[in-house]
Amino acid sequence: MWHFPCKRWFSMYKADGKCERILFGEKVKEKHLTTYEITVTTGDKLNAGTDARVFVTLYSGKSTSPRLDLARTDTQSFTRGRTDTIQVTCPEVGRSLDRIKVEHDNTGADPKWFLECISVMDRKNSSMVYEAQCNEWIQRTDEDPHSRKVLEFKKGPGGRSQRRTRFKVTIKTGDVLRAGTDSRVYLVMHGAQADSTRHFLTSGKFERRSVDVFVLDSHPLGTLKSITIGHNNAGLGAGWYLNKVSIEDLTSGRSYVFMCNRWLATDEDDKKTERTLFCDSNLDCNLSKTVPFEISI
């Protein structure tokens, strides 16, 4: 495999004004290449999104990846409350990642960025995920001229990288008048071992009688005990009538059902837009177990 580095503008209005370049190749042995799946969550704060180009650098001991460009998948990438998953291919950094540098080039109309968290999975070893919390603004200031943060990956027991668990989440909106919502919905799962991060479910429709399905990655949580689900009360039709949430742990095969049948709205019921729901024991939810299969195509 050959790489053709560029890192220059193709524009009549930038740098040297050229729209054509000759690039020279660098041969890379394929056996040393790997694909990293990088998941980025932008915080749910006012003006949290960024127009700038985002880059990461991975570290494993003294080994370092190239500066990796997290190319936007669409025009909504890195916007408020959104979770973006981007794949990058580069030489393998090492057996275990320990930190990550996240930065942007400070370009665009509004470059500052509030990063909530970031995770990295080496697709050669998809049972391991590396997670880092940020919850800070990445922006250029007089005190700090660099638009970047270096984050340490969280470690599991014994200092090992945390294993990855995948959940299939099915959300059913109720069948009542104006049941759907235009707001941004979020979910936190609470397990016997740990709580998940806040997942923003940005791809859902959440219309009356709709069934929205999501696949979420997380560190291991243990047996699920409860969930917290809510929305940001934004949009013309903010109120939401939630029927139920079903969750399947695709790693262990366990299934859970969390009944609601209540409004999450400031003008209905008890005026709350967030609820904590507990597993319905009458449905034997945490005893339902299947055999998980993972199919890659």
Side-chain angles (χ1 to χ4, degrees):
M1 179 178 288
W2 291 77
H3 281 182
F4 294 83
C6 181
K7 296 182 180 180
R8 300 191 68 181
W9 285 98
F10 285 71
S11 172
M12 296 173 60
Y13 311 103
K14 299 284 187 178
D16 58 4
K18 292 184 178 181
C19 296
E20 178 181 279
R21 298 192 182 281
I22 297 176
L23 305 180
F24 296 92
E26 299 175 352
K27 192 170 184 179
V28 180
K29 294 182 179 179
E30 291 195 40
K31 67 179 182 179
H32 295 309
L33 290 179
T34 192
T35 297
Y36 293 102
E37 185 174 286
I38 300 176
T39 302
V40 179
T41 299
T42 300
D44 189 20
K45 289 180 175 289
L46 183 64
N47 299 321
T50 183
D51 298 324
R53 291 176 64 193
V54 176
F55 304 87
V56 298
T57 306
L58 305 174
Y59 298 89
S60 175
K62 295 182 179 180
S63 299
T64 306
S65 76
R67 188 174 185 241
L68 304 171
D69 186 354
L70 300 188
R72 295 171 183 269
T73 56
D74 56 49
T75 58
Q76 297 300 309
S77 295
F78 310 123
T79 54
R80 175 180 176 176
R82 167 142 169 168
T83 297
D84 295 282
T85 299
I86 299 161
Q87 293 186 9
V88 293
T89 300
C90 70
E92 189 172 7
V93 181
R95 286 182 173 270
S96 179
L97 302 178
D98 49 52
R99 62 194 188 280
I100 183 171
K101 179 168 68 178
V102 187
E103 59 186 317
H104 62 72
D105 63 359
N106 206 48
T107 59
D110 191 7
K112 68 179 184 299
W113 183 33
F114 190 89
L115 173 63
E116 180 174 310
C117 60
I118 188 167
S119 66
V120 180
M121 179 186 72
D122 184 344
R123 293 186 63 85
K124 285 184 178 179
N125 184 10
S126 60
S127 66
M128 305 298 290
V129 64
Y130 305 88
E131 295 183 336
Q133 293 289 325
C134 181
N135 289 315
E136 291 185 25
W137 289 97
I138 300 179
Q139 60 182 327
R140 188 169 296 175
T141 63
D142 292 338
E143 294 78 18
D144 182 7
H146 305 292
S147 305
R148 67 190 182 197
K149 296 285 183 185
V150 177
L151 308 173
E152 300 287 334
F153 287 120
K154 294 188 294 185
K155 298 293 184 181
R160 298 185 298 273
S161 302
Q162 300 189 78
R163 290 195 173 275
R164 166 177 166 267
T165 302
R166 180 164 287 185
F167 296 93
K168 178 182 177 182
V169 179
T170 303
I171 297 179
K172 185 176 181 181
T173 299
D175 186 13
V176 300
L177 186 63
R178 297 190 297 274
T181 184
D182 297 326
S183 298
R184 183 178 290 111
V185 175
Y186 60 84
L187 171 73
V188 180
M189 295 173 285
H190 307 287
Q193 298 176 8
D195 297 335
S196 75
T197 57
R198 178 177 291 192
H199 296 274
F200 290 95
L201 309 178
T202 54
S203 61
K205 293 183 178 180
F206 305 114
E207 300 290 347
R208 178 179 178 179
R209 297 191 299 271
S210 71
V211 176
D212 295 284
V213 181
F214 310 88
V215 177
L216 307 178
D217 283 327
S218 174
H219 52 275
L221 306 178
T223 301
L224 294 188
K225 300 298 184 181
S226 63
I227 62 171
T228 298
I229 190 165
H231 61 76
N232 66 349
N233 200 43
L236 295 177
W240 183 34
Y241 191 89
L242 172 62
N243 174 224
K244 66 179 180 179
V245 178
S246 303
I247 299 179
E248 181 183 356
D249 184 334
L250 298 178
T251 303
S252 70
R254 291 184 180 271
S255 296
Y256 309 84
V257 178
F258 301 89
M259 299 301 300
C260 182
N261 283 320
R262 294 186 69 179
W263 284 97
L264 285 74
T266 57
D267 55 354
E268 298 280 359
D269 202 344
D270 59 1
K271 320 301 183 187
K272 293 183 178 180
T273 60
E274 179 182 279
R275 298 195 182 280
T276 297
L277 307 177
F278 294 89
C279 187
D280 193 335
S281 58
N282 293 326
L283 299 177
D284 293 327
C285 53
N286 60 356
L287 298 178
S288 174
K289 190 169 183 179
T290 59
V291 178
F293 292 91
E294 182 171 328
I295 302 175
S296 300
I297 299 178

